[in-house]
């Protein structure tokens, strides 16, 4: 699971910094894509032409920026942000910091106090020098410093004090409540719970084992494999 692998890279660190880009996909423009294509596609991929670039722009953008929600946007944004990631990896290596990026969220972690405080200004300097994308901007109102003394979260997952990755206590309480009220849930809520339990199996399988012990393995398995066309009322 990609979310878990991303979070696990930071789980052994005491201090965490999260930065967020403003309007990330919209900030990656048609001009950025064309510049990327000239340097990385035309003359590199056999047969790639300006017409191919034009078609790529038409398929991948909306109102001048990458289309929000399109399956192509994460892949294209990663490709166009390669030089950004190289620069941030280099900065992090010099500082002895772990760096990861998940779309518009940038995470930096370390075990050394005060190392992370100057990173936001360093990131600002780096993105201003990029040839492309050249309209990226950090949303400083969402900058978040956290440590083991409070809740540390990466891609929606909690980094626990015993250096593991968890869905978090509040989510667990919510899940238990919904399982208990399973027979009262509508089909949409049942489908959501079914999908979320499948997700938990890959993120925190020990919690699935706990649920099986509390409610019974058959009930948990039936919820995970729930099909709205065969809506079966399960008793908890």
């Amino acid at each position: 699971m990609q979310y878990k692998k991303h979070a696990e890279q930071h789980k052994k660190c005491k201090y965490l910094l999260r930065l967020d880009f403003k309007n990330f996909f919209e900030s990656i423009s048609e001009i950025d894509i064309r510049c990327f294509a000239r340097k990385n596609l035309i003359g590199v991929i056999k047969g790639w032409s300006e017409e191919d670039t034009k078609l790529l722009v038409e398929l991948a953008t909306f109102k001048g920026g990458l289309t929000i929600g399109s399956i192509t946007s994460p892949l294209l944004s990663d490709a166009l942000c390669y030089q950004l990631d190289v620069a941030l990896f280099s900065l992090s290596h010099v500082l002895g910091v772990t760096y990861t990026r998940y779309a518009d969220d940038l995470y930096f972690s370390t075990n050394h106090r005060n190392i992370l405080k100057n990173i936001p200004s360093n990131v600002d300097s780096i993105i201003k020098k990029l040839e492309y994308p050249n309209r990226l901007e950090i949303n400083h109102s969402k900058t978040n410093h956290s440590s083991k003394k409070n809740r540390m979260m990466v891609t929606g997952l909690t980094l626990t004090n015993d250096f593991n990755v968890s869905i978090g206590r509040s989510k667990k309480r919510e899940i238990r409540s919904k399982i208990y009220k399973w027979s009262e849930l509508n089909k949409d809520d049942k489908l959501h719970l079914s999908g979320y339990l499948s997700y938990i199996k890959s993120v925190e399988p020990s919690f699935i084992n706990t649920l099986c012990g509390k409610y019974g393995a058959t009930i948990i398995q039936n919820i995970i494999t729930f099909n709205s066309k065969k809506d079966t009322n399960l008793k908890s």
Side-chain angles (χ1 to χ4, degrees), residues 215-228:
Y215 300 100
T218 300
I219 287 179
I220 300 304
Q221 182 61 26
N222 285 340
I223 293 176
I224 291 174
T225 58
F226 173 74
N227 186 329
S228 62

Side-chain angles (χ1 to χ4, degrees), residues 12 15-16 29 31 33 41-42 64 74 94 97 105 115 120 151 174-175 182 189-190 198-199 229:
K12 293 185 178 180
Y15 305 99
L16 178 71
S29 68
I31 295 174
I33 297 173
L41 302 179
I42 297 174
V94 170
V97 168
D105 290 326
I115 292 294
R151 188 170 64 166
E174 179 185 341
I175 292 300
W182 172 259
D189 287 339
K190 286 182 177 181
S198 296
Y199 166 71
K229 294 180 181 179

Side-chain angles (χ1 to χ4, degrees), residues 179 205-221:
I179 293 174
S206 61
F207 182 56
I208 295 293
N209 293 336
T210 300
L211 294 176
C212 288
K214 182 176 178 64
Y215 300 100
T218 300
I219 287 179
I220 300 304
Q221 182 61 26

Side-chain angles (χ1 to χ4, degrees), residues 5-14 16 98-100 107-109 148 152 154 159:
K5 289 181 179 178
H6 190 91
E8 281 183 327
Q9 296 183 65
H10 301 278
K11 69 180 183 180
K12 293 185 178 180
C13 293
K14 297 178 181 178
L16 178 71
T98 297
Y99 160 71
T100 61
Y107 296 92
F108 302 83
S109 63
K148 290 295 183 183
M152 296 172 61
V154 175
L159 307 183

